Short mmCIF file of all heavy atoms in Angstrom, two decimals:
data_model
loop_
_atom_site.label_atom_id
_atom_site.label_comp_id
_atom_site.label_asym_id
_atom_site.label_seq_id
_atom_site.Cartn_x
_atom_site.Cartn_y
_atom_site.Cartn_z
N ILE A 1 -15.40 -5.10 27.15
CA ILE A 1 -15.99 -4.00 26.26
C ILE A 1 -15.46 -4.25 24.86
O ILE A 1 -14.31 -4.20 24.59
CB ILE A 1 -15.50 -2.59 26.72
CG1 ILE A 1 -15.99 -2.43 28.20
CG2 ILE A 1 -16.06 -1.53 25.83
CD1 ILE A 1 -15.64 -1.05 28.81
N SER A 2 -16.39 -4.62 24.09
CA SER A 2 -16.12 -4.98 22.68
C SER A 2 -15.77 -3.77 21.83
O SER A 2 -16.34 -2.64 22.11
CB SER A 2 -17.18 -5.72 21.98
OG SER A 2 -18.44 -5.00 21.94
N SER A 3 -14.85 -3.86 20.90
CA SER A 3 -14.50 -2.71 19.99
C SER A 3 -14.12 -1.43 20.73
O SER A 3 -14.42 -0.33 20.19
CB SER A 3 -15.68 -2.49 19.02
OG SER A 3 -16.05 -3.68 18.27
N LEU A 4 -13.44 -1.52 21.83
CA LEU A 4 -13.10 -0.34 22.54
C LEU A 4 -11.89 0.38 21.82
O LEU A 4 -11.88 1.65 21.75
CB LEU A 4 -12.75 -0.68 23.99
CG LEU A 4 -12.31 0.52 24.84
CD1 LEU A 4 -13.44 1.52 25.04
CD2 LEU A 4 -11.80 0.00 26.19
N LEU A 5 -10.96 -0.29 21.31
CA LEU A 5 -9.80 0.29 20.67
C LEU A 5 -9.88 0.15 19.15
O LEU A 5 -10.44 -0.87 18.60
CB LEU A 5 -8.46 -0.41 21.24
CG LEU A 5 -8.21 -0.20 22.65
CD1 LEU A 5 -6.96 -1.07 23.07
CD2 LEU A 5 -8.00 1.22 22.96
N PRO A 6 -9.37 1.09 18.45
CA PRO A 6 -9.23 0.91 17.00
C PRO A 6 -8.24 -0.18 16.66
O PRO A 6 -7.30 -0.41 17.34
CB PRO A 6 -8.75 2.33 16.49
CG PRO A 6 -7.96 2.85 17.62
CD PRO A 6 -8.74 2.42 18.93
N SER A 7 -8.48 -0.81 15.51
CA SER A 7 -7.65 -1.95 15.01
C SER A 7 -6.24 -1.48 14.63
O SER A 7 -5.26 -2.24 14.79
CB SER A 7 -8.25 -2.69 13.92
OG SER A 7 -9.43 -3.43 14.45
N LYS A 8 -6.10 -0.29 13.95
CA LYS A 8 -4.85 0.09 13.30
C LYS A 8 -3.65 0.03 14.29
O LYS A 8 -2.55 -0.58 13.96
CB LYS A 8 -5.01 1.45 12.76
CG LYS A 8 -3.79 1.87 11.92
CD LYS A 8 -3.95 3.25 11.35
CE LYS A 8 -2.70 3.69 10.53
NZ LYS A 8 -2.88 4.99 9.91
N PRO A 9 -3.65 0.72 15.46
CA PRO A 9 -2.47 0.66 16.30
C PRO A 9 -2.15 -0.72 16.76
O PRO A 9 -1.05 -1.10 17.04
CB PRO A 9 -2.79 1.65 17.39
CG PRO A 9 -4.28 1.79 17.45
CD PRO A 9 -4.72 1.58 16.01
N LEU A 10 -3.17 -1.55 16.98
CA LEU A 10 -2.98 -2.87 17.50
C LEU A 10 -2.27 -3.73 16.40
O LEU A 10 -1.36 -4.42 16.68
CB LEU A 10 -4.25 -3.56 17.93
CG LEU A 10 -5.06 -2.87 19.03
CD1 LEU A 10 -6.45 -3.59 19.21
CD2 LEU A 10 -4.28 -2.91 20.28
N GLU A 11 -2.79 -3.58 15.17
CA GLU A 11 -2.20 -4.28 14.13
C GLU A 11 -0.75 -3.86 13.84
O GLU A 11 0.12 -4.63 13.55
CB GLU A 11 -3.07 -4.23 12.78
CG GLU A 11 -2.59 -5.10 11.63
CD GLU A 11 -2.66 -6.58 11.94
OE1 GLU A 11 -3.23 -6.94 12.92
OE2 GLU A 11 -2.08 -7.35 11.14
N GLU A 12 -0.54 -2.62 13.86
CA GLU A 12 0.87 -2.13 13.65
C GLU A 12 1.83 -2.62 14.69
O GLU A 12 2.96 -3.04 14.37
CB GLU A 12 0.87 -0.61 13.68
CG GLU A 12 0.18 0.06 12.44
CD GLU A 12 0.05 1.58 12.46
OE1 GLU A 12 0.36 2.10 13.67
OE2 GLU A 12 -0.24 2.15 11.56
N LEU A 13 1.34 -2.66 15.94
CA LEU A 13 2.25 -3.24 16.96
C LEU A 13 2.42 -4.73 16.79
O LEU A 13 3.56 -5.29 16.92
CB LEU A 13 1.71 -2.88 18.40
CG LEU A 13 2.37 -3.57 19.56
CD1 LEU A 13 3.85 -3.03 19.66
CD2 LEU A 13 1.71 -3.20 20.89
N ARG A 14 1.27 -5.48 16.42
CA ARG A 14 1.44 -6.94 16.29
C ARG A 14 2.39 -7.25 15.18
O ARG A 14 3.28 -8.15 15.36
CB ARG A 14 0.03 -7.44 15.92
CG ARG A 14 0.02 -8.95 15.79
CD ARG A 14 -1.38 -9.50 15.41
NE ARG A 14 -1.64 -9.37 14.05
CZ ARG A 14 -1.51 -10.43 13.20
NH1 ARG A 14 -1.11 -11.56 13.60
NH2 ARG A 14 -1.79 -10.16 11.86
N LEU A 15 2.41 -6.49 14.06
CA LEU A 15 3.40 -6.71 12.96
C LEU A 15 4.79 -6.47 13.38
O LEU A 15 5.65 -7.23 12.88
CB LEU A 15 2.90 -5.96 11.70
CG LEU A 15 1.65 -6.35 11.07
CD1 LEU A 15 1.22 -5.41 9.83
CD2 LEU A 15 1.63 -7.74 10.50
N LYS A 16 4.99 -5.44 14.10
CA LYS A 16 6.35 -5.20 14.61
C LYS A 16 6.83 -6.31 15.53
O LYS A 16 7.97 -6.75 15.44
CB LYS A 16 6.47 -3.82 15.31
CG LYS A 16 6.32 -2.62 14.28
CD LYS A 16 6.59 -1.27 14.93
CE LYS A 16 6.49 -0.27 13.85
NZ LYS A 16 6.80 1.07 14.43
N ASN A 17 5.94 -6.82 16.46
CA ASN A 17 6.33 -7.93 17.26
C ASN A 17 6.58 -9.12 16.45
O ASN A 17 7.45 -9.97 16.72
CB ASN A 17 5.15 -8.11 18.25
CG ASN A 17 5.12 -7.16 19.42
OD1 ASN A 17 6.12 -6.39 19.53
ND2 ASN A 17 4.09 -7.16 20.21
N LEU A 18 5.74 -9.36 15.45
CA LEU A 18 5.94 -10.53 14.58
C LEU A 18 7.19 -10.52 13.82
O LEU A 18 7.78 -11.56 13.44
CB LEU A 18 4.75 -10.70 13.63
CG LEU A 18 3.40 -11.10 14.28
CD1 LEU A 18 2.26 -11.13 13.29
CD2 LEU A 18 3.52 -12.50 14.96
N GLN A 19 7.69 -9.30 13.37
CA GLN A 19 8.97 -9.21 12.69
C GLN A 19 10.11 -9.61 13.64
O GLN A 19 10.95 -10.33 13.15
CB GLN A 19 9.23 -7.83 12.21
CG GLN A 19 10.41 -7.72 11.30
CD GLN A 19 10.31 -8.61 10.02
OE1 GLN A 19 9.43 -8.48 9.20
NE2 GLN A 19 11.24 -9.54 9.96
N VAL A 20 9.95 -9.22 14.85
CA VAL A 20 10.98 -9.67 15.96
C VAL A 20 10.82 -11.27 15.96
O VAL A 20 11.90 -11.88 16.08
CB VAL A 20 10.78 -9.07 17.25
CG1 VAL A 20 11.62 -9.65 18.24
CG2 VAL A 20 10.92 -7.58 17.18
N ALA A 21 9.72 -11.79 16.07
CA ALA A 21 9.43 -13.14 16.14
C ALA A 21 10.03 -13.95 14.96
O ALA A 21 10.56 -15.01 15.12
CB ALA A 21 7.96 -13.51 16.36
N ARG A 22 9.71 -13.39 13.71
CA ARG A 22 10.28 -13.98 12.58
C ARG A 22 11.83 -14.00 12.53
O ARG A 22 12.43 -15.06 12.21
CB ARG A 22 9.72 -13.38 11.23
CG ARG A 22 10.50 -13.71 10.10
CD ARG A 22 9.69 -13.51 8.73
NE ARG A 22 8.70 -14.47 8.53
CZ ARG A 22 7.79 -14.43 7.63
NH1 ARG A 22 7.78 -13.46 6.75
NH2 ARG A 22 6.99 -15.43 7.56
N ASN A 23 12.42 -12.92 12.95
CA ASN A 23 13.89 -12.89 13.00
C ASN A 23 14.47 -13.89 14.00
O ASN A 23 15.64 -14.38 13.79
CB ASN A 23 14.43 -11.47 13.45
CG ASN A 23 14.03 -10.40 12.39
OD1 ASN A 23 13.82 -10.77 11.16
ND2 ASN A 23 14.04 -9.09 12.76
N ALA A 24 13.62 -14.29 14.95
CA ALA A 24 14.10 -15.33 15.93
C ALA A 24 13.75 -16.74 15.50
O ALA A 24 14.11 -17.66 16.26
CB ALA A 24 13.45 -15.02 17.25
N GLY A 25 13.08 -16.87 14.37
CA GLY A 25 12.68 -18.20 13.95
C GLY A 25 11.47 -18.68 14.60
O GLY A 25 11.16 -20.03 14.48
N TRP A 26 10.64 -17.87 15.20
CA TRP A 26 9.42 -18.31 15.77
C TRP A 26 8.23 -18.48 14.85
O TRP A 26 7.35 -19.09 15.13
CB TRP A 26 8.95 -17.34 16.87
CG TRP A 26 9.88 -17.14 18.05
CD1 TRP A 26 11.09 -17.87 18.28
CD2 TRP A 26 9.69 -16.29 19.19
NE1 TRP A 26 11.56 -17.44 19.46
CE2 TRP A 26 10.75 -16.53 20.09
CE3 TRP A 26 8.66 -15.50 19.66
CZ2 TRP A 26 10.86 -15.94 21.30
CZ3 TRP A 26 8.69 -14.88 20.85
CH2 TRP A 26 9.82 -15.10 21.74
N ILE A 27 8.44 -17.93 13.66
CA ILE A 27 7.42 -17.93 12.66
C ILE A 27 7.98 -18.74 11.36
O ILE A 27 9.20 -18.45 11.03
CB ILE A 27 7.01 -16.54 12.19
CG1 ILE A 27 6.22 -15.90 13.35
CG2 ILE A 27 5.99 -16.64 10.99
CD1 ILE A 27 5.86 -14.47 13.23
N GLN A 28 7.22 -19.53 10.72
CA GLN A 28 7.62 -20.31 9.58
C GLN A 28 8.02 -19.31 8.48
O GLN A 28 7.17 -18.44 8.11
CB GLN A 28 6.52 -21.25 9.15
CG GLN A 28 6.29 -22.38 10.13
CD GLN A 28 5.29 -23.38 9.55
OE1 GLN A 28 4.88 -23.35 8.45
NE2 GLN A 28 4.90 -24.40 10.50
N SER A 29 9.18 -19.36 8.00
CA SER A 29 9.65 -18.35 7.02
C SER A 29 8.97 -18.33 5.64
O SER A 29 8.95 -17.29 5.02
CB SER A 29 11.15 -18.66 6.79
OG SER A 29 11.44 -19.93 6.27
N GLU A 30 8.33 -19.45 5.30
CA GLU A 30 7.71 -19.48 3.94
C GLU A 30 6.26 -19.02 4.05
O GLU A 30 5.57 -18.93 2.98
CB GLU A 30 7.73 -20.82 3.49
CG GLU A 30 6.83 -21.96 4.13
CD GLU A 30 7.55 -22.50 5.37
OE1 GLU A 30 8.60 -21.94 5.75
OE2 GLU A 30 6.99 -23.53 5.87
N THR A 31 5.84 -18.56 5.19
CA THR A 31 4.36 -18.09 5.25
C THR A 31 4.34 -16.65 5.45
O THR A 31 5.32 -16.00 5.92
CB THR A 31 3.65 -18.78 6.45
OG1 THR A 31 4.41 -18.43 7.72
CG2 THR A 31 3.72 -20.32 6.43
N PRO A 32 3.14 -15.96 5.07
CA PRO A 32 3.09 -14.38 5.21
C PRO A 32 3.25 -14.08 6.71
O PRO A 32 2.74 -14.77 7.60
CB PRO A 32 1.77 -14.15 4.72
CG PRO A 32 1.37 -15.29 3.81
CD PRO A 32 2.02 -16.51 4.46
N LEU A 33 3.89 -13.03 7.02
CA LEU A 33 4.15 -12.49 8.29
C LEU A 33 2.91 -12.35 9.05
O LEU A 33 2.71 -12.81 10.24
CB LEU A 33 4.82 -11.15 8.32
CG LEU A 33 5.26 -10.56 9.65
CD1 LEU A 33 6.26 -11.41 10.39
CD2 LEU A 33 5.75 -9.15 9.52
N ASN A 34 1.85 -11.72 8.39
CA ASN A 34 0.62 -11.36 9.23
C ASN A 34 -0.17 -12.65 9.55
O ASN A 34 -1.07 -12.64 10.47
CB ASN A 34 -0.31 -10.49 8.41
CG ASN A 34 -0.83 -11.08 7.11
OD1 ASN A 34 -0.20 -12.10 6.65
ND2 ASN A 34 -1.99 -10.63 6.64
N GLU A 35 0.15 -13.87 9.03
CA GLU A 35 -0.52 -15.04 9.39
C GLU A 35 0.00 -15.63 10.72
O GLU A 35 -0.63 -16.53 11.35
CB GLU A 35 -0.52 -16.13 8.26
CG GLU A 35 -1.31 -15.67 7.07
CD GLU A 35 -1.34 -16.71 6.04
OE1 GLU A 35 -0.84 -17.84 6.20
OE2 GLU A 35 -1.88 -16.38 4.90
N ALA A 36 1.25 -15.27 11.09
CA ALA A 36 1.84 -15.61 12.32
C ALA A 36 1.80 -17.12 12.63
O ALA A 36 1.67 -17.58 13.72
CB ALA A 36 1.12 -15.01 13.47
N VAL A 37 2.12 -17.92 11.47
CA VAL A 37 2.18 -19.39 11.64
C VAL A 37 3.49 -19.80 12.45
O VAL A 37 4.59 -19.47 12.00
CB VAL A 37 2.16 -20.06 10.23
CG1 VAL A 37 2.24 -21.57 10.38
CG2 VAL A 37 0.90 -19.65 9.55
N ALA A 38 3.28 -20.52 13.52
CA ALA A 38 4.36 -20.72 14.42
C ALA A 38 5.29 -21.84 13.88
O ALA A 38 4.88 -22.80 13.36
CB ALA A 38 3.83 -21.09 15.80
N GLU A 39 6.58 -21.68 14.27
CA GLU A 39 7.58 -22.65 14.04
C GLU A 39 7.78 -23.42 15.38
O GLU A 39 8.39 -22.86 16.32
CB GLU A 39 8.93 -22.07 13.56
CG GLU A 39 10.03 -22.99 13.38
CD GLU A 39 9.64 -24.17 12.45
OE1 GLU A 39 9.61 -23.88 11.15
OE2 GLU A 39 9.38 -25.30 12.95
N LEU A 40 7.11 -24.58 15.41
CA LEU A 40 7.02 -25.30 16.78
C LEU A 40 8.51 -25.69 17.29
O LEU A 40 8.61 -25.85 18.57
CB LEU A 40 6.14 -26.43 16.73
CG LEU A 40 4.66 -26.12 16.35
CD1 LEU A 40 3.79 -27.32 16.50
CD2 LEU A 40 4.14 -25.01 17.30
N ASP A 41 9.44 -25.92 16.41
CA ASP A 41 10.73 -26.31 16.79
C ASP A 41 11.40 -25.14 17.54
O ASP A 41 12.42 -25.44 18.20
CB ASP A 41 11.60 -26.67 15.65
CG ASP A 41 11.14 -28.02 14.99
OD1 ASP A 41 10.45 -28.81 15.70
OD2 ASP A 41 11.51 -28.31 13.78
#
């Protein structure tokens, strides 16, 4: 079912998860958080 949920709560949760990921070094520090660019190391 396409577009069943609104984007806002999904994006808010994603950004909070990504902040945890950035703190762990899973995301490249020099890139914007919302781009979620992975640190493969």
Side-chain angles (χ1 to χ4, degrees):
I1 302 180
S2 60
S3 304
L4 178 63
L5 294 175
S7 289
K8 183 178 179 181
L10 299 176
E11 185 64 10
E12 288 175 349
L13 176 58
R14 187 179 80 98
L15 291 175
K16 289 188 176 184
N17 283 347
L18 288 176
Q19 188 59 61
V20 174
R22 166 158 282 175
N23 293 343
W26 293 4
I27 294 175
Q28 293 183 8
S29 59
E30 69 276 11
T31 61
L33 181 68
N34 66 337
E35 293 184 7
V37 177
E39 178 54 73
L40 298 184
D41 289 342

